Amino acid sequence: MKKSLFAVVAMAFAGSAFAATVQDIAERYTKLVLAIGVHDPAYVDAYYGPPQLQEQVTKERQGLPAIRAQIALALKELAPQRPANADEALRIAFLTKQLQSMLTRIDMLSGKKFKFDEESRQLYDAVSPHHERAYYQRIVRQIDQMLPGSGTVSERLAAYRSKFVIPKDKLKPVFDAAIKACRERTARYITLPANENFALEFVTNKPWSGYNWYKGNSQSLIQINTEFPIYVDRAVDLGCHEGYPGHHAYNALLEKTLVNDRKWTEFRVYPLYSPMSLIAEGSANYGIDMAFTDAERLAFEKTVLFPMAGIDPALADQYAQLRKLTAKLSYADNDAAMHYLEGKWNKEQTIEWLVNVQLYPPEKAAQRVSFYDANRSYVINYNLGADLVKAYIERHSTSKDPETARAQRWAAFKQLLSSPRLASGLR
């Protein structure tokens, strides 16, 4: 019987005659991520290394206990590594956190249950704050005062927002215009790879509103879910989040800076349920505010996107105010996921919270619960991630001159997108 690749590696590294380097561990880390992906199809979000390696790992199909033993061995060998400089220290810290999160994911795939906060800490290196219903109700009352008509706040918000739906025949031009503006604003401060590009597709029947599938060589596939109405403000949100300076820019910069320039091969693979995702989602969400100030976004939507979508620009100011208020309900999403996943609420109770506390459209609330089922504590990466990235970036903005301060923020943002920093490294 042939020994598997991982058994051979384990034997080779068991002896004291061979001293593993960080690069050795990084190459084995890549194989281990791919090996988990054989058991968990959603785990490998992106891989653009040699296809033969993925084929080999798939063919071998190592069991979870064997993979777990290899991760433990890699962590043991990583512990005594001494960085030569600050960048190497970040790399070692990155690999350590990523490998530790892989142990947790294997435990979950093996049937182990974690409390919501414990799971997020071990998978994403962060824990979300939580609030009671009364905290959010104070915000809901402010929204209530802005909305005309009768009925529940959720019903009146849905009726009001129906005026801002992008007609399906205008989705592509509106999104093209938004993405173009997001790219132009990003390119003023970040030099993107010359060949970077993406394909845009509209899809249905997905548990998410938008997704970036990074293909390597600075290429992405961006998909937008059209199953439910898409409101005009989502064009900028998704254009920045999925494109510039969000996921597409992040992955392209990691590939150029770390994979191509430094030969850090571990960045050719992106495990979705890992600390890396908090930076990816947090920077993508905060990237919206990086690309547009509130005033710039209002002007762009009022003069370009609203007319293009056939929506009255005179409504833009009030709609922007409402958007800012509803954004303050963001952490209600984490609370809903926590109570649902820990079994404290059933599906109906969770939907009630989403509709009446977070003011989700009723038709989308069930979709959100399906996201919890599929991705569990991943939800913290969007809002907590954005808040952690924001605090980190703003600490680097010290000038009293607005333009200089903005340039400082962009410099810090670019550095973040080009480095292996994780949540605990942002504090």
Side-chain angles (χ1 to χ4, degrees), residues 23 37 62 85 102 129 181 207 215 232 261 330 349 355 373:
Q23 186 65 23
Q62 292 292 298
N85 51 52
M102 290 161 68
K215 303 298 184 180
V232 66
D261 295 350
S330 169
Q349 290 170 310
V355 171
D373 286 326

Side-chain angles (χ1 to χ4, degrees), residues 85-111:
N85 51 52
D87 288 340
E88 190 74 13
L90 287 176
R91 185 189 192 190
I92 292 171
F94 172 86
L95 282 168
T96 300
K97 289 288 186 181
Q98 292 287 112
L99 286 162
Q100 289 170 343
S101 81
M102 290 161 68
L103 292 176
T104 300
R105 190 62 185 173
I106 286 178
D107 287 344
M108 293 171 67
L109 293 172
S110 302

Side-chain angles (χ1 to χ4, degrees), residues 153-166:
V153 180
S154 183
E155 289 168 343
R156 285 183 290 128
L157 178 60
Y160 178 80
R161 294 186 76 198
S162 66
K163 304 173 186 176
F164 302 92
V165 174
I166 306 172

Side-chain angles (χ1 to χ4, degrees), residues 26 74 107 118-119 138 166 194 324-325:
D107 287 344
E118 182 185 7
E119 179 186 307
R138 288 192 290 270
I166 306 172
K324 295 288 284 186
L325 263 181

